[in-house]
Amino acid sequence: HSTVSFVLGSMLACTSFIMGGVLERHPTLKLVFLESGCGWAAFWLDRLEAGIQGGSRRLKIQGLNLTPREYFQRQCFVAADQDDPGIEHLIDAIDDSVILGATDFGHQEGRYYYKAKQDLINLPRVSAESKRKILWDNSLRAYPINADS
């Protein structure tokens, strides 16, 4: 079922790209994780860092110059629905520069896409600066288009 496969697929892809050294070897490659929410990312990056080193988050991972979190911050983005409870957790655990706003426009579960932007703006514990990044700035970094044209 897509409820499980999308999240697990994102976690496995994240593992392969980071731990397999792909992001190390291709520092300009950008990854965008879609259709899986954003709550998994904070937990999973911590598990990659701790699990590989026998539970120690302080050890360098062989073959990598950065931590999994640092690769994710530099090269990855994850889409979040406006009511995703993982938004605040991911901001606290990583930062707000990796989150993209999602609406699910065109999908059955996206029947409220028309109010997605306002719902995100109304989140009480997310700063106005973070909301601007999620709704605009991060998308321009993930998909480098000329916003003025």
Side-chain angles (χ1 to χ4, degrees):
H1 192 272
S2 63
T3 304
V4 174
S5 64
F6 290 166
V7 175
L8 292 178
S10 291
M11 294 166 88
L12 292 172
C14 181
T15 303
S16 297
F17 276 92
I18 293 175
M19 305 308 282
V22 175
L23 298 185
E24 171 74 25
R25 291 187 304 277
H26 303 280
T28 60
L29 179 68
K30 300 283 187 218
L31 300 178
V32 180
F33 297 97
L34 305 169
E35 299 292 333
S36 58
C38 73
W40 64 270
F43 159 78
W44 195 242
L45 293 168
D46 180 68
R47 290 311 312 145
L48 290 180
E49 197 166 322
I52 294 296
Q53 299 298 339
S56 175
R57 291 163 181 85
R58 295 182 306 275
L59 297 175
K60 185 175 176 345
I61 298 171
Q62 185 175 357
L64 300 179
N65 289 313
L66 303 174
T67 67
R69 179 178 173 228
E70 290 169 329
Y71 285 110
F72 201 92
Q73 285 176 307
R74 183 177 80 181
Q75 294 173 252
C76 299
F77 299 89
V78 61
D81 293 329
Q82 66 282 355
D83 58 350
D84 188 329
I87 291 173
E88 295 165 12
H89 182 64
L90 190 57
I91 290 171
D92 291 341
I94 297 178
D95 67 32
D96 58 6
S97 67
V98 299
I99 305 170
L100 304 175
T103 64
D104 259 348
F105 175 77
H107 294 106
Q108 180 180 356
E109 65 271 21
R111 60 189 167 274
Y112 298 112
Y113 72 88
Y114 62 89
K115 62 186 215 94
K117 181 179 83 170
Q118 191 58 50
D119 286 347
L120 194 130
I121 289 170
N122 291 341
L123 288 177
R125 294 185 304 268
V126 176
S127 73
E129 180 181 352
S130 290
K131 292 171 186 175
R132 187 194 78 241
K133 288 180 181 180
I134 293 167
L135 290 169
W136 185 256
D137 295 348
N138 296 342
S139 295
L140 290 179
R141 288 188 316 103
Y143 305 106
I145 59 172
N146 183 354
D148 296 327
S149 55

